Amino acid sequence: MTNPPPPNALAALLRHAERLSRAAVWCAGALTIASVLLISFDVLARKFLGFTTGGADELSSYAFAVSTSWSLAFATLQRAHVRVDVLYQYLPVRLAAVLDWVSLVALGVFMAMLTYYAYDVVGASLAQSSRANTPLATPLAIPQGLWFVGLLFMCVVLALMLLRASIALVTGDIATVKAIAGVRSTQEEAEEEAAAGERMVKGDAA
Amino acid sequence: MIATTLILLLVLIGLSIPVGAALGVLGLILDPLYSMLPLTRGIGELAWSTNNEFLLVAIPLFILLGEILLRSGLAERMYGAMSLWLSWLPGGLMHANIGASALFAATSGSSVATAATVGTVALPQIKRYGYNEPLFLGSLAAGGTLGILIPPSINLVLYGVLTNSSVPKLYLAGIIPGLLLAGLFMLTVIIGCIAKPEWGGRRITASWGERFASLRHLAPPLGIFLLVVGSIYAGLATPTEAAALGVTGAMILAAFSRRLTLSMLRDAVEGTMKATAMIMLIILAAAFLNFVMSATGITDAITGSIRGLGLSPVQMLFVIVVFYLILGCFMETLSMMITTIPIVAPIMIGLGYDSIWLGILIIVLVEAALITPPVGLNLFVVQSLRKSGSMNAVIMGSMPYVAAMALLLLLLALFPDLALFLPRVFD
C-alpha cells in the first residue's frame, strides 16, 4: 500500500489542474468563436454569393461537443454545477461537508460511467474507420477522440478533487472540503452575477 | 416503480447532489432495477449524439451573444434613452426599468443577466428621485424575467429540443405574450402610483428634441434583435445560424465602441463555456435518464397513472400551473424544465393542448419561479446589487408583478391565440 500524497502536493496539483482547465476553456472559447465566424460566413455566402461551404453545421456541431467536454473540468472546479440547497443550508457544517463529499462521489460515478462507455464510441469508430455520412466524410474518431479527451480530463480532475476532499474530511479540515466542493449558495451566485453586471456596465470588464 | 423512482429522485436532489449527477446516477440505479438489458452501455453513444446536435449549438452562441453585448457598453445609454421616452408615466423610471429590460431581453437569452445589467444602471436613481423602494426593486427583478420570454431565449431552445417543437415558431409565439407582460408590468406600476402618488417619485421631464436624439442609442440593440430574429423569418437562417449572426453583429458593435479586446473576449468565453458545461451536463444526464425511463416503461407508467386520474383538460392545466408554481419556489429553473418537461409535455399535448402554446405557458411559469421566494434567483441578484437593506423589500415589491404574471397565464388560457397568432400568420 502506498501512502497518499501529502495535502500540499495535492493542493499544488489541483492548482495546476485549475490553470490547465482555464486554458482548456480558452481553447473551447476559441473553437466556439471559430464556429460563429464559419457559420456566419456560410449563411452570408449562401445568400449573397450563391454557394455554401458545406459542412459549417457539421463542423460547428463537433466544435460544440469538444468545447463542452473540455469546459466540464473548469465548471466543476469553479463549483458551477447547480445543486438544490433547500435542506443543505440548514444542516450543521459537518453534515454539509459530508454531503459535499457525497456530491463529488456522485459526480465521479456518473462521469466515470459516461467516460468508460464514451471510449467504446471512439474505439468502435477507430476499429471500423467510420466516416460521417456527409459530404465532408469526416473520420469520426477525430472529433469523438477530442471529445473523449475532455471527458477523461474531467475524470482526472474529479479524482484529484475527491482525493483532496476525502483527506480533508477524514482529518476534520471542514474549511477545505467546503472550498473544494461546497455549494455556492444562491446568495453567492447572485452576488457574482450582480458584480459581473456592475463590472460590465461600468465597462472595466477588461 | 413510480414511487421508487420519485423517492430516489427526491433523495438525490434533496441531498444537494448536483442536478446533472443526480439525474445520471438515478438512471444508473434504475437500469439494473427494472431493465432486462444493460441500458447503461448506450450512454456513450447517447451522450455523443446529444452533444453533437446542431440545434443545441444555439445554447453557447446565445450565451456568448449576451456576454459580448453586456461588455460592449450598450446598457447605460439604452437605459438613458428609455427613461427619456417613458418617465412621464406615473411611476417614472420604473417604466424605464421595464422597457429597458424588454429591449435587453430582445438581445439576450438570459433573465439573470438582464436583471443584473438593468439593475446596476437603475438602482442609484431610487434615492435621487424618491421612489417607493419595494415597487422599484420589484420592477427590476420582474422586468429581468422577460429575458427568457422575448426571443431569443435559451429556455425556449431547450423546450424546443425537449419536445421536438419548432424553435422559430416558439420564438414567434413568445413575442406578443412578452410585450403584453411588459405592458402588464407597466400597468401594475401605473395603478400603484395612481393609488399612492408618493410612490412615483419626483417627475422627470424631457423635451422631444432630447427624445429623438436618444433614439440612436436604441438602434444597436434593435439592430441585433432584427438580425437574429429577422434572419430566421426571412428564411435566411436556422435558430443556430441566427445566433451565430447575432454574435458576429455583437462583436462588430463592440469593435465600434472600442471594447473588442482579447481580454474582453477571454472574459466572455469563460463565462459562456462555464454556463454551457453546466447546462450540457444536465442535458446529457437527462437524455440518459429519459432513455432509461422510457425503455423500462417508467415514463409510460407515470403518464398512464396521471391520465388515469381522469382529469379534464382544464383541471389538468390547473394542476400543472400549481405544480410549477410550487416547484418553482424551490428549484433552479433550467433543471426544473429539463426534469419535468419530458413528462408534462406529452400528457398535456395528449389532452389536446398545442405544444407551442404549452411552451409559452411553461416559460411564463418559469419566469414566476425566478421571482418567488425562497429560491428566486432574480430576487437575490437585485438584492446583491443594492448591497444594503432587507431582502423582504425585494420580495414584497415583486409580488404585484407575480400577480401580473398570473393574469397573463389566465389570458393565455382564455385566448390561446395570444401565443399562436403570429406562428400561424408566418406559417
Side-chain angles (χ1 to χ4, degrees), chain B residues 18 43 89 133 149 162-163 178 199 219 227 250 281 306 316 364 424:
Chain B
I43 190 174
L89 290 162
E133 203 166 9
L149 182 55
L162 288 169
T163 60
W199 285 2
L227 180 63
L281 181 74
I306 294 177
M316 197 62 218
V364 177
R424 199 167 51 230

Side-chain angles (χ1 to χ4, degrees), chain B residues 171-209:
Chain B
Y171 276 9
L172 278 176
I175 294 176
I176 294 181
L179 293 176
L180 184 61
L181 187 57
L184 288 174
F185 286 165
M186 289 187 174
L187 200 62
T188 310
V189 173
I190 292 177
I191 293 172
C193 292
I194 286 178
K196 298 249 178 183
E198 70 273 19
W199 285 2
R202 281 191 300 282
R203 268 290 160 82
I204 302 170
T205 46
S207 73
W208 283 101

Side-chain angles (χ1 to χ4, degrees), chain B residues 74-86:
Chain B
L74 287 174
E76 204 146 26
R77 280 169 276 163
M78 188 176 89
Y79 186 80
M82 275 291 175
S83 70
L84 292 176
W85 282 92
L86 295 174

Side-chain angles (χ1 to χ4, degrees), chain A residues 22 26 40 46-47 57 60-61 64-65 68 71 80 82-84 88 103 121 144 147 190 198 200 205-206, chain B residues 16 18-19 41 44-45 48 51-52 54 70-71 120 236 241 244 248 263 266-267 270 273 278 280 380 387:
Chain A
R22 199 176 286 269
W26 292 342
S40 300
R46 202 165 60 207
K47 172 69 184 172
D57 51 351
S60 54
S61 301
F64 170 53
T68 315
S71 307
V82 185
R83 294 170 62 182
V84 178
Y88 178 95
S103 290
V121 177
Q144 287 170 350
W147 176 69
E198 283 175 346
M200 288 169 197
Chain B
S16 79
V19 175
R41 283 190 191 168
E45 196 55 58
W48 169 251
N51 207 169
N52 182 24
F54 187 59
L70 285 171
R71 289 174 166 82
T120 305
L236 261 176
E241 290 170 343
T248 307
S263 60
R266 210 170 50 197
D267 253 25
E270 260 183 35
M273 295 319 301
M278 182 272 284
M280 284 310 296
F380 287 94
K387 300 197 172 76

